[in-house]
Amino acid sequence: MTDKERNDYFYVCALIEYIARKTRNHRGDIVEAMGEEGVKKLLYDAEVDHCLSFEQVSDEVIEYYKIKNGDFDTISSCKYSVPSYLDIGKLYSIMIEDCARPGDEVRELMKIFTSFISDKISDFNTDLYYQNPDYLEWSYREGKLLD
């Protein structure tokens, strides 16, 4: 993966996290609403969208893909400090780079965001986000949190 591709994946992952928080949806619901072609379009547009605010881009994505508000709110009931959407986006982009075969990054992005690990990472009342990224990656690969 080139540096530009890393930056684009980081941006798109952070944007998905931002939209999910804003609309109170599971992260997988956001990528499913956009579909593979929508994710590819966000990646294609990422270099230009970097110059715009997350608020503006998220509003455009929400409107274009008709993303409705949900009830998956992991922020307001959180008792602890919530990691930023950028921190979470970075975590996802690292997982994609580590898990995807070359040329299969978009599908891996969709698989990770729609897997069990995404909801686990989004539970900010646990310490899962702060675990070693290798632990998260291998838990994802195994389909369950490792002991």
Side-chain angles (χ1 to χ4, degrees), residues 94-101 108 112 137-138 140-141:
I94 290 168
M95 287 181 68
I96 292 162
E97 184 172 10
D98 289 348
C99 294
R101 284 180 260 143
E108 195 67 43
I112 291 171
E137 176 188 331
W138 284 102
Y140 160 70
R141 288 177 188 258

Side-chain angles (χ1 to χ4, degrees), residues 31-135:
V31 297
E32 286 177 344
M34 293 186 301
E36 188 173 333
E37 292 307 311
V39 171
K40 286 178 181 177
K41 180 169 180 5
L42 284 181
L43 287 164
Y44 180 81
D45 294 342
E47 191 170 19
V48 173
D49 286 348
H50 281 193
C51 302
L52 305 171
S53 70
F54 271 87
E55 293 87 357
Q56 179 182 347
V57 177
S58 68
D59 285 346
E60 291 170 3
V61 170
I62 291 165
E63 182 179 337
Y64 185 82
Y65 294 102
K66 298 174 178 42
I67 298 171
K68 305 271 189 241
N69 285 334
D71 59 5
F72 188 67
D73 180 6
T74 61
I75 305 296
S76 63
S77 65
C78 188
K79 299 175 190 172
Y80 307 107
S81 171
V82 176
S84 76
Y85 59 91
L86 295 172
D87 291 335
I88 299 296
K90 186 67 172 171
L91 174 66
Y92 280 116
S93 65
I94 290 168
M95 287 181 68
I96 292 162
E97 184 172 10
D98 289 348
C99 294
R101 284 180 260 143
D104 205 27
E105 292 87 358
V106 172
R107 280 192 215 101
E108 195 67 43
L109 177 152
M110 296 187 74
K111 282 175 54 180
I112 291 171
F113 273 105
T114 58
S115 77
F116 84 98
I117 200 75
S118 183
D119 282 352
K120 297 291 188 185
I121 291 169
S122 298
D123 184 355
F124 302 124
N125 279 317
T126 70
D127 67 347
L128 188 65
Y129 161 73
Y130 298 102
Q131 297 298 317
N132 183 310
D134 287 339
Y135 171 77

